Amino acid sequence: MENGTLMKKQVLLYYCVEMEDLARKISSDSDCIHLHSINWSYPGSNEAVCSSPENEIRKQKAEKKGERGGERVGPGLRLSAPPTAGTEPNRTQKQKTEKKEGKRWREKGEGGGDRGGLRLRGHGFKPWKQPLAEMQGKAAYNRPLWSFDDGFPNLFINNAHNIRGQHVAFLASFSSPAVIFEQLSVIFALPRLFVASFTLVLPFFPTGSFERMEEEGDVATAFTMARILSNIPISRGGPTSVVIYDIHALQERFYFGDHVLPLFETGIPLLKQRLQQLPESEKIVIAFPDDGAWKRFYKQLGHYPSLICTKVREGDKRIVRLKEGNPEGRHVVIVDDLVQSGGTLIECQKVLAAHGAAKVSAYVTHGVFPKRSWERFMHKNDGSEKAFTYFWITDSCPLTVKAIANKAPFEVISLAGSIADALQT
């Protein structure tokens, strides 16, 4: 407390590769949040990724010198391109080089300075056994480039003693089972380094929609993930805070144990800000694709008129119908927590348009869109009618954000400011 003003705490923010863009936005939103770079392997890439500015400078210098026999992936470390069939690097020379360069990296620390960072040790490097072209888009193939012989990541946190007594956070993305283990390894390690507090920011809780059993034998994987996260070690400051945005069902907070404190945030205030910027905002009506979405969000959007759609079974098909409200002549915004294939949203749009809606848009906090299902919503250049005027998502699913960049009708509403506030309270 200074001059009657509550001082914001300084936070060291670690992040996975997928979340680098969001992490930088969070840091730019607050002078109290400081990024610590991490070296990770990246799905579908032939190089380990180091996001520190120092390594970008080194890479640029290497390009000017014509040193393109491989890609620089860390201070003093170079990763060769994937070998062609039937070739194998000279193991004796490679081992000598890795030992020498790895020692230099350990002595200097990440980036050649005294900032902490996490890296994947180089002595266990194995060449790719699969051509890069075959791996593009295959997130399940994510064997770390710097790993033990059995393929598990060999992780190391540089200058670990420098984060003692600091408030530390980790920005995670559990976009596929393949990337979860190495992130969990870091998440479980950081609180044990005598940090003042530890916060896990997991914007999208990926198994949230699998939260119940409909028959004996169903596995509620939302409960499984919550139990795993509940075992994060306690830091000096107490239980870990777990920040999640618009989890699929609020009752999932009871899946977490007493060793963590789940903090459920929402992206709805950001949507409301965007809606207020639209022309003729007074004509906006909020539509909910089912009763579950209405129960979840209607209180936060109560000052807007609302519509409710519902699914009814006709034979073997489930048909979307308009249950309540009149969309005629209005700009209808469909609101839900997440989208997968998008089938329900498309059916809702058809029903609303048939009942006279002037425009239909959609908002979901989490644009999951497996198998590029976002393509179903793209505006075509053939003069055909555009079903959705806007489709807003947040940057909770970074792979989707990159895929839909500059593609109408998509717009990304960033969670950066909201996450920055959550980390400093």
Short mmCIF file of all heavy atoms in Angstrom, two decimals, residues 226-227 229-234 238-242 253-262:
data_model
loop_
_atom_site.label_atom_id
_atom_site.label_comp_id
_atom_site.label_asym_id
_atom_site.label_seq_id
_atom_site.Cartn_x
_atom_site.Cartn_y
_atom_site.Cartn_z
N ALA A 226 -8.74 -32.62 -13.64
CA ALA A 226 -8.82 -31.84 -12.41
C ALA A 226 -8.03 -32.50 -11.29
O ALA A 226 -7.36 -31.82 -10.49
CB ALA A 226 -10.27 -31.65 -12.00
N ARG A 227 -8.07 -33.83 -11.22
CA ARG A 227 -7.32 -34.54 -10.18
C ARG A 227 -5.82 -34.40 -10.39
O ARG A 227 -5.05 -34.26 -9.44
CB ARG A 227 -7.71 -36.02 -10.18
CG ARG A 227 -9.11 -36.30 -9.67
CD ARG A 227 -9.24 -35.99 -8.18
NE ARG A 227 -8.39 -36.84 -7.37
CZ ARG A 227 -8.73 -38.03 -6.89
NH1 ARG A 227 -9.95 -38.50 -7.15
NH2 ARG A 227 -7.91 -38.73 -6.15
N LEU A 229 -4.24 -31.85 -11.88
CA LEU A 229 -3.86 -30.49 -11.52
C LEU A 229 -3.96 -30.24 -10.02
O LEU A 229 -3.26 -29.38 -9.47
CB LEU A 229 -4.72 -29.48 -12.28
CG LEU A 229 -4.60 -29.50 -13.80
CD1 LEU A 229 -5.50 -28.46 -14.44
CD2 LEU A 229 -3.15 -29.27 -14.23
N SER A 230 -4.82 -30.99 -9.36
CA SER A 230 -4.98 -30.83 -7.90
C SER A 230 -3.75 -31.27 -7.13
O SER A 230 -3.61 -30.97 -5.94
CB SER A 230 -6.20 -31.61 -7.41
OG SER A 230 -7.39 -31.08 -7.96
N ASN A 231 -2.85 -31.99 -7.78
CA ASN A 231 -1.64 -32.47 -7.12
C ASN A 231 -0.42 -31.59 -7.38
O ASN A 231 0.70 -31.97 -7.04
CB ASN A 231 -1.34 -33.91 -7.56
CG ASN A 231 -2.27 -34.91 -6.89
OD1 ASN A 231 -2.13 -35.22 -5.71
ND2 ASN A 231 -3.24 -35.39 -7.64
N ILE A 232 -0.63 -30.40 -7.97
CA ILE A 232 0.47 -29.45 -8.10
C ILE A 232 0.97 -29.11 -6.70
O ILE A 232 0.17 -28.81 -5.80
CB ILE A 232 0.00 -28.17 -8.82
CG1 ILE A 232 -0.45 -28.51 -10.24
CG2 ILE A 232 1.12 -27.14 -8.87
CD1 ILE A 232 -1.08 -27.33 -10.97
N PRO A 233 2.27 -29.14 -6.46
CA PRO A 233 2.79 -28.88 -5.11
C PRO A 233 2.40 -27.50 -4.59
O PRO A 233 2.23 -26.55 -5.36
CB PRO A 233 4.31 -28.99 -5.30
CG PRO A 233 4.50 -29.81 -6.52
CD PRO A 233 3.34 -29.49 -7.41
N ILE A 234 2.29 -27.41 -3.30
CA ILE A 234 2.02 -26.13 -2.64
C ILE A 234 3.31 -25.31 -2.62
O ILE A 234 4.38 -25.83 -2.33
CB ILE A 234 1.50 -26.36 -1.21
CG1 ILE A 234 0.13 -27.05 -1.26
CG2 ILE A 234 1.39 -25.04 -0.45
CD1 ILE A 234 -0.41 -27.42 0.11
N GLY A 238 1.31 -20.89 -0.40
CA GLY A 238 0.09 -21.66 -0.22
C GLY A 238 -0.30 -22.40 -1.49
O GLY A 238 0.53 -22.63 -2.38
N PRO A 239 -1.57 -22.77 -1.62
CA PRO A 239 -2.04 -23.54 -2.78
C PRO A 239 -1.86 -22.79 -4.10
O PRO A 239 -1.86 -21.55 -4.14
CB PRO A 239 -3.52 -23.77 -2.48
CG PRO A 239 -3.66 -23.59 -1.01
CD PRO A 239 -2.65 -22.56 -0.63
N THR A 240 -1.72 -23.53 -5.16
CA THR A 240 -1.62 -22.96 -6.50
C THR A 240 -2.97 -22.42 -6.95
O THR A 240 -4.01 -23.06 -6.73
CB THR A 240 -1.15 -24.04 -7.50
OG1 THR A 240 0.19 -24.40 -7.20
CG2 THR A 240 -1.23 -23.54 -8.94
N SER A 241 -2.96 -21.26 -7.55
CA SER A 241 -4.17 -20.72 -8.19
C SER A 241 -4.22 -21.21 -9.62
O SER A 241 -3.22 -21.13 -10.34
CB SER A 241 -4.15 -19.18 -8.16
OG SER A 241 -4.13 -18.69 -6.84
N VAL A 242 -5.37 -21.72 -10.04
CA VAL A 242 -5.55 -22.21 -11.41
C VAL A 242 -6.60 -21.35 -12.09
O VAL A 242 -7.78 -21.39 -11.72
CB VAL A 242 -5.97 -23.70 -11.43
CG1 VAL A 242 -6.11 -24.19 -12.86
CG2 VAL A 242 -4.96 -24.56 -10.67
N ARG A 253 -15.79 -27.10 -10.64
CA ARG A 253 -14.91 -26.60 -9.57
C ARG A 253 -14.81 -27.61 -8.44
O ARG A 253 -13.81 -27.66 -7.73
CB ARG A 253 -15.42 -25.26 -9.03
CG ARG A 253 -16.67 -25.32 -8.21
CD ARG A 253 -16.96 -24.01 -7.49
NE ARG A 253 -17.12 -22.89 -8.39
CZ ARG A 253 -16.25 -21.88 -8.47
NH1 ARG A 253 -15.16 -21.90 -7.73
NH2 ARG A 253 -16.48 -20.90 -9.30
N PHE A 254 -15.83 -28.44 -8.27
CA PHE A 254 -15.81 -29.42 -7.18
C PHE A 254 -15.00 -30.66 -7.53
O PHE A 254 -14.81 -31.54 -6.69
CB PHE A 254 -17.24 -29.81 -6.81
CG PHE A 254 -18.08 -28.64 -6.40
CD1 PHE A 254 -19.13 -28.20 -7.21
CD2 PHE A 254 -17.82 -27.94 -5.24
CE1 PHE A 254 -19.91 -27.12 -6.84
CE2 PHE A 254 -18.59 -26.84 -4.86
CZ PHE A 254 -19.63 -26.43 -5.67
N TYR A 255 -14.50 -30.72 -8.76
CA TYR A 255 -13.60 -31.82 -9.14
C TYR A 255 -12.19 -31.58 -8.63
O TYR A 255 -11.39 -32.51 -8.55
CB TYR A 255 -13.55 -31.97 -10.67
CG TYR A 255 -14.82 -32.49 -11.31
CD1 TYR A 255 -14.92 -32.62 -12.69
CD2 TYR A 255 -15.92 -32.85 -10.54
CE1 TYR A 255 -16.06 -33.10 -13.30
CE2 TYR A 255 -17.08 -33.33 -11.14
CZ TYR A 255 -17.14 -33.44 -12.51
OH TYR A 255 -18.28 -33.92 -13.10
N PHE A 256 -11.86 -30.32 -8.33
CA PHE A 256 -10.52 -29.99 -7.88
C PHE A 256 -10.38 -30.21 -6.37
O PHE A 256 -11.31 -29.98 -5.60
CB PHE A 256 -10.20 -28.52 -8.20
CG PHE A 256 -10.09 -28.23 -9.67
CD1 PHE A 256 -11.22 -27.94 -10.43
CD2 PHE A 256 -8.86 -28.27 -10.31
CE1 PHE A 256 -11.12 -27.68 -11.79
CE2 PHE A 256 -8.76 -28.01 -11.68
CZ PHE A 256 -9.89 -27.71 -12.41
N GLY A 257 -9.18 -30.65 -5.98
CA GLY A 257 -8.91 -30.89 -4.57
C GLY A 257 -8.55 -29.60 -3.83
O GLY A 257 -8.50 -28.52 -4.42
N ASP A 258 -8.25 -29.74 -2.54
CA ASP A 258 -8.00 -28.58 -1.68
C ASP A 258 -6.60 -28.00 -1.85
O ASP A 258 -6.32 -26.94 -1.27
CB ASP A 258 -8.21 -28.97 -0.21
CG ASP A 258 -9.66 -29.31 0.10
OD1 ASP A 258 -10.54 -28.84 -0.65
OD2 ASP A 258 -9.91 -30.03 1.08
N HIS A 259 -5.72 -28.65 -2.61
CA HIS A 259 -4.36 -28.14 -2.78
C HIS A 259 -4.25 -27.07 -3.86
O HIS A 259 -3.19 -26.48 -4.04
CB HIS A 259 -3.40 -29.29 -3.09
CG HIS A 259 -3.11 -30.16 -1.91
ND1 HIS A 259 -2.35 -31.30 -1.99
CD2 HIS A 259 -3.49 -30.05 -0.62
CE1 HIS A 259 -2.27 -31.86 -0.79
NE2 HIS A 259 -2.97 -31.12 0.04
N VAL A 260 -5.33 -26.85 -4.61
CA VAL A 260 -5.35 -25.80 -5.62
C VAL A 260 -6.61 -24.96 -5.44
O VAL A 260 -7.61 -25.42 -4.89
CB VAL A 260 -5.30 -26.36 -7.05
CG1 VAL A 260 -3.99 -27.09 -7.31
CG2 VAL A 260 -6.49 -27.27 -7.33
N LEU A 261 -6.52 -23.73 -5.93
CA LEU A 261 -7.66 -22.82 -5.85
C LEU A 261 -8.09 -22.47 -7.27
O LEU A 261 -7.46 -21.63 -7.93
CB LEU A 261 -7.27 -21.54 -5.10
CG LEU A 261 -6.80 -21.73 -3.65
CD1 LEU A 261 -6.32 -20.40 -3.07
CD2 LEU A 261 -7.92 -22.31 -2.80
N PRO A 262 -9.13 -23.11 -7.80
CA PRO A 262 -9.58 -22.79 -9.16
C PRO A 262 -10.26 -21.42 -9.21
O PRO A 262 -11.13 -21.11 -8.40
CB PRO A 262 -10.58 -23.91 -9.48
CG PRO A 262 -11.05 -24.41 -8.16
CD PRO A 262 -9.92 -24.21 -7.19
#
